[in-house]
Amino acid sequence: MRLAYQNQDSTKVETSLLLINELYAIEDYTKALLFIDQTSELSKTLNYEKGLAETNYIKALIFNNQNDQNNAVANFESARSYFMAIKDTLGIAKVNNNLGVIEIQRGNYKKGLQNSLSAISIFEEKDLKDDLSKAYNNLAEAYYNTNKLDKALQYNKKALSVREELDDLEGMKYSLKNLGLLYALKNDYRRSIDNYERMLTLLDPQEDQDIRGEIMPSLGKSYLAIEDTDKAADYLREGLRYSRRQKDDLGILKSLNAFGELNTKNRNLKLAENQLLEALKIARRLGNDEELLYNLKLNRDLDSRRGFYEDAFNWQNQYYELKEKLDKEKLAAIPVPDNSTEEAQIETPPLIESTKTEEPEKAVITSEKKQDILLVYGLIAGLVFITALLIFSYLKGSKDSKAAKTLTKSNKELSLKNLQLEEVNQVKDKLFSIVSHDLKDSISSIKAFLDLLKDGGISKDEFNDLIPELSENANNASSLLFNLLNWSKSQMQNLQPKPELFNIQEVFQIKMSLIEKKVNDKGIILIDESRREFVYADRSMLEIVIQNLITNAVKFTGKGDVITVSNQDYNGKVLICVEDTGIGISEENQKKLFNAKKNFTTIGTENEKGTGLGLTICKDLVELNNGRIWVESTPNIGSKFFIELPKAALSE
């Protein structure tokens, strides 16, 4: 009623603004907007720019709270124009700070920083601590999202300091959590722990359970990094228990990943495998690339420690492919200035784009990262070649040595040994020819692209197109070496099985997760009909066999084809089947599949290369475990590969 008794002058506008602010404070936005429209019209009639500035500002705040960012930005910019006209630097600063928040939320970090930086000097000068706290937090978030961790730390510390002065408990919790995360990213785990632990002391046992559950995995990871495994286990256990109770998939994912790392370090490898497999499924379902990247690294480390080098290499390929994608996304963020408020003067319209060109720097960074990837591939191929040569040299020496010892025996034994040695040498020579040719092709290809890159002979777009081919070359070389290593071990009779009872379904699940991306890329349907059943065999050997069979199925199928894995009880044994609806195998070629001397290999549906060694190794490994392997196939219909293995130890 105060407004009705006042004259239509600026005093009435000021009184109306007081009422509008009261309505905004109690979140009665409908009435507030009604009075804003009336007050704005009155201000226009009186040509009262301060009233127009304030009404547009509050209207923008309301739209922002209602998640109507477009209208919020339009009204903030209108308010800023009026504040600039009356030279109200504080009003400009408040508008810029709010615009900074919106631009940062939109991912426009450069604009967000410009706006927030322009506001801070005014807030500092006028000692407006609440506004300073928000501005510091905006800057910290923008710098974090543009990977400038030192700057993010600097402004999070400033925000924490102001929030401590204001006794802002919620703000302190938020800043301490951010500091814990940032110090962990900088590998300063003790400071990370200090901030997380301090945050825990501020939490309410009843009201802050969600926050506590959220930071438990992060705190556990930091303790794990400083080798305090007992505390790491305590925090991770609490975090996992809470997340499962709350059905918080992200919390479960983080806890399982960290637990997987802990159990790998403690050599609880079976437990680590189960935890990482569950985490992998959750990460892919949630589309959480950061945790998926961490999971791929942990799976690589786990399989490397177990001696499953082919699996480890597959995990590594997936890791670097995802890492490159994430690096590209980070580089796509607009670079932001590191300087202070001189970069965004208050009197200058702060949303004007900088004319400084950032592309050259971006191109250099991208090129350097990709060059590093190529160098890694080149080193891998080179090491593969050297290792292969050493294997053949050792194999030849070993066989010759055995043959020499046999010469002292009877002439009959000598003739037999010479015949065996001749057969082995024939196979070895054939394999050496294959290895030399395939590795030479891979290394020559990688070297050619490196030379082009060094001489500036390829563009950025052309280079991007070459990455999959280079990765495939490295994969082929690695696969060749892997198969060759296992074959050479079996030929030297050093490959002794260590049978145990294990669930075959778990092996299927792990191996299918490794080829999931390739299956999706080729448009293949993968069906898992496996069931829980125990096999008595050397698990690592059988994993090699299953990996080869599934990889072959993917190789010889195309879009719309189906791959099915299954197992069943058969005459008291376990019958494993990997079936596909691919191109099939002729009866003549089926006879060559398991014979190393024939060296039979064909090109896949997408011209994938093979070595001709995989199925030979599968046969050797299955037979070493008292089993048998065979194939049933019809051209253009598909193939079924069967493995029969015992369920228990054979009686002597």
Side-chain angles (χ1 to χ4, degrees), residues 394 398 402 488-497 541:
Y394 181 77
S398 175
K402 289 179 180 179
S488 63
K489 283 182 182 179
S490 65
Q491 291 300 307
M492 291 185 287
Q493 299 179 346
N494 286 335
L495 200 60
Q496 297 298 325
M541 290 185 181

Side-chain angles (χ1 to χ4, degrees), residues 84-149:
M84 292 178 72
I86 62 177
K87 294 183 170 52
D88 184 345
T89 55
L90 179 57
I92 297 170
K94 288 184 175 181
V95 169
N96 285 344
N97 193 40
N98 281 282
L99 282 171
V101 174
I102 292 174
E103 295 298 347
I104 289 167
Q105 288 173 344
R106 288 175 165 181
N108 300 326
Y109 303 116
K110 184 175 182 179
K111 285 185 177 180
L113 275 169
Q114 286 177 327
N115 282 291
S116 293
L117 282 168
S118 69
I120 277 181
S121 61
I122 302 301
F123 294 154
E124 289 177 337
E125 179 184 334
K126 297 184 180 293
D127 199 28
L128 299 173
K129 299 200 179 294
D130 189 56
D131 291 309
L132 261 180
S133 169
K134 294 174 183 175
Y136 287 150
N137 189 69
N138 296 343
L139 285 169
E141 184 177 348
Y143 279 124
Y144 169 75
N145 283 297
T146 51
N147 206 32
K148 296 183 181 293
L149 301 187

Side-chain angles (χ1 to χ4, degrees), residues 137-164:
N137 189 69
N138 296 343
L139 285 169
E141 184 177 348
Y143 279 124
Y144 169 75
N145 283 297
T146 51
N147 206 32
K148 296 183 181 293
L149 301 187
D150 288 331
K151 284 286 187 180
L153 271 171
Q154 175 187 339
Y155 282 103
N156 265 305
K157 288 178 183 177
K158 287 187 175 185
L160 177 61
S161 177
V162 174
R163 286 165 172 171
E164 286 173 338

Side-chain angles (χ1 to χ4, degrees), residues 501-641:
L501 279 175
F502 63 90
N503 183 6
I504 186 62
Q505 188 178 41
E506 291 179 358
V507 175
F508 276 131
Q509 289 175 345
I510 293 168
K511 298 308 173 185
M512 286 189 295
S513 68
L514 286 171
I515 50 95
E516 186 175 335
K517 184 179 185 303
K518 186 67 174 176
V519 165
N520 292 335
D521 289 345
K522 292 187 73 171
I524 300 167
I525 300 167
L526 185 60
I527 298 176
D528 180 8
E529 293 185 353
S530 65
R531 59 189 179 89
R532 182 179 174 83
E533 191 165 25
F534 285 86
V535 176
Y536 186 75
D538 186 305
R539 176 167 177 151
S540 64
M541 290 185 181
L542 192 58
E543 288 197 357
I544 292 169
V545 175
I546 298 297
Q547 174 77 29
N548 267 289
L549 295 183
I550 294 178
T551 301
N552 279 347
V554 174
K555 177 180 173 184
F556 295 109
T557 50
K559 187 172 183 179
D561 280 326
V562 179
I563 297 173
T564 306
V565 299
S566 62
N567 61 280
Q568 59 180 301
D569 183 79
Y570 180 74
N571 292 335
K573 296 184 179 182
V574 177
L575 184 65
I576 297 165
C577 180
V578 178
E579 179 181 359
D580 67 71
T581 60
I583 59 178
I585 311 165
S586 68
E587 186 175 348
E588 179 185 355
N589 286 338
Q590 289 178 41
K591 298 174 183 178
K592 305 174 185 177
L593 289 180
F594 301 104
N595 191 336
K597 290 187 287 184
K598 299 292 184 183
N599 184 46
F600 176 70
T601 182
T602 56
I603 301 299
T605 56
E606 291 187 355
N607 296 316
E608 300 100 325
K609 296 178 182 178
T611 64
L613 293 174
L615 290 175
T616 301
I617 295 166
C618 289
K619 179 176 182 291
D620 289 343
L621 296 180
V622 169
E623 290 177 352
L624 279 169
N625 284 277
N626 299 307
R628 64 189 184 103
I629 183 172
W630 70 95
V631 63
E632 296 176 3
S633 183
T634 305
N636 301 316
I637 293 180
S639 304
K640 293 182 181 180
F641 282 86

Side-chain angles (χ1 to χ4, degrees), residues 370 374 449 452-453 456-470:
K370 290 181 177 176
L374 284 175
F449 290 133
L452 280 173
L453 182 63
I458 51 176
S459 68
K460 194 192 307 182
D461 290 338
E462 290 171 333
F463 182 82
N464 288 338
D465 293 338
L466 297 176
I467 294 296
E469 183 177 344
L470 293 171

Side-chain angles (χ1 to χ4, degrees), residues 394-409 413-414 416-418 420-421 424 488-496:
Y394 181 77
L395 180 59
K396 187 177 187 305
S398 175
K399 292 296 180 181
D400 288 345
S401 175
K402 289 179 180 179
K405 291 177 182 178
T406 311
L407 289 174
T408 59
K409 296 184 179 181
E413 289 177 338
L414 176 61
L416 178 62
K417 216 47 158 169
N418 282 337
Q420 291 173 342
L421 181 59
V424 170
S488 63
K489 283 182 182 179
S490 65
Q491 291 300 307
M492 291 185 287
Q493 299 179 346
N494 286 335
L495 200 60
Q496 297 298 325

Side-chain angles (χ1 to χ4, degrees), residues 466-478:
L466 297 176
I467 294 296
E469 183 177 344
L470 293 171
S471 178
E472 185 67 25
N473 285 339
N475 281 334
N476 288 337
S478 173

